[in-house]
Amino acid sequence: MRDEVDGLVEAWRAERPDLDIEPLQVLSRVSRLARHLDRARRAVFTEHGLEPWEFDVLAELRRSGPPYEMSPGRLLRATLVTSGTMTNRIDRLATAGLVRRHPDPADKRGVLVRLSAEGQERVDAALSALIEYEESLLGEMPPAERERLATLLRSLLSPLDEPAPEAGV
């Protein structure tokens, strides 16, 4: 079985025999897979009337468990965006009726963002469609191979996901 990366690697080996092209064997495939997944996820989310960022915020709220609410600060840390971006996103989701803001009983100046019934229905439907699509991608891969692949990818990704050390520490 050959793929696009095989041709890319062969061409680089011919043009740059002085370089060890081996990392391209893995990382170019990961990169291409990420692009395919991004396009497919966008299509699934569009079918459910969501942008990828909307799914991200709604999914974070849904995973938080009942009552499916979080502070804007927790949401921005979880979704890795700035405060201004999160405020804009919450505004847009609230206007669409997918979330509601209400006062934080533990902080008189704070608010909590709660997933609405419509938001929960939309994110649940999008997630179900996404899982169905992703299951089709894995196809006939046996469970043991899936687990091994997940372990290998985790070992590659884990160091990249570690928080950066604090400045001055």
Side-chain angles (χ1 to χ4, degrees), residues 10 13 28 38 44 46 48 53 67 69 71 89-90 107 118 121 123 126 129 135 137 141 150 159 167-168:
E10 286 172 7
R13 282 188 176 138
S28 290
D38 186 55
V44 166
T46 298
H48 292 88
W53 67 263
E69 67 184 18
S71 71
R89 289 180 176 185
I90 292 168
D107 178 0
E118 170 70 17
E121 287 174 21
V123 74
E135 178 63 32
L137 286 180
M141 183 182 284

Side-chain angles (χ1 to χ4, degrees), residues 130-168:
L130 179 63
I131 296 299
E132 183 178 321
Y133 172 75
E134 290 184 355
E135 178 63 32
S136 76
L137 286 180
L138 294 172
E140 301 298 317
M141 183 182 284
E145 285 186 27
R146 290 180 186 197
E147 188 174 324
R148 178 73 178 138
L149 179 58
T151 299
L152 292 168
L153 291 170
R154 185 179 302 109
S155 70
L156 181 62
L157 185 59
S158 183
L160 300 173
D161 278 346
E162 289 179 8
E166 297 290 326

Side-chain angles (χ1 to χ4, degrees), residues 50-138:
L50 296 172
E51 293 290 331
W53 67 263
E54 290 173 310
F55 179 84
D56 289 346
V57 174
L58 298 176
E60 190 63 37
L61 289 166
R62 182 67 167 101
R63 286 191 305 266
S64 72
Y68 309 113
E69 67 184 18
M70 298 173 79
S71 71
R74 276 188 58 205
L75 277 170
L76 72 90
R77 285 187 294 281
T79 57
L80 304 174
V81 298
T82 65
S83 177
T85 298
M86 183 52 65
T87 298
N88 179 274
R89 289 180 176 185
I90 292 168
D91 288 345
R92 291 173 64 185
L93 289 167
T95 299
L98 302 176
V99 301
R100 283 190 227 86
R101 285 185 176 101
H102 63 90
D104 183 345
D107 178 0
K108 292 184 191 220
R109 295 178 301 156
V111 298
L112 293 173
V113 179
R114 181 177 289 174
L115 190 61
S116 71
E118 170 70 17
Q120 184 173 338
E121 287 174 21
R122 191 96 58 96
V123 74
D124 283 355
L127 178 64
S128 294
L130 179 63
I131 296 299
E132 183 178 321
Y133 172 75
E134 290 184 355
E135 178 63 32
S136 76
L137 286 180
L138 294 172

Side-chain angles (χ1 to χ4, degrees), residues 13 15-20:
R13 282 188 176 138
E15 292 300 316
R16 293 295 310 269
D18 58 309
L19 292 177
D20 178 8

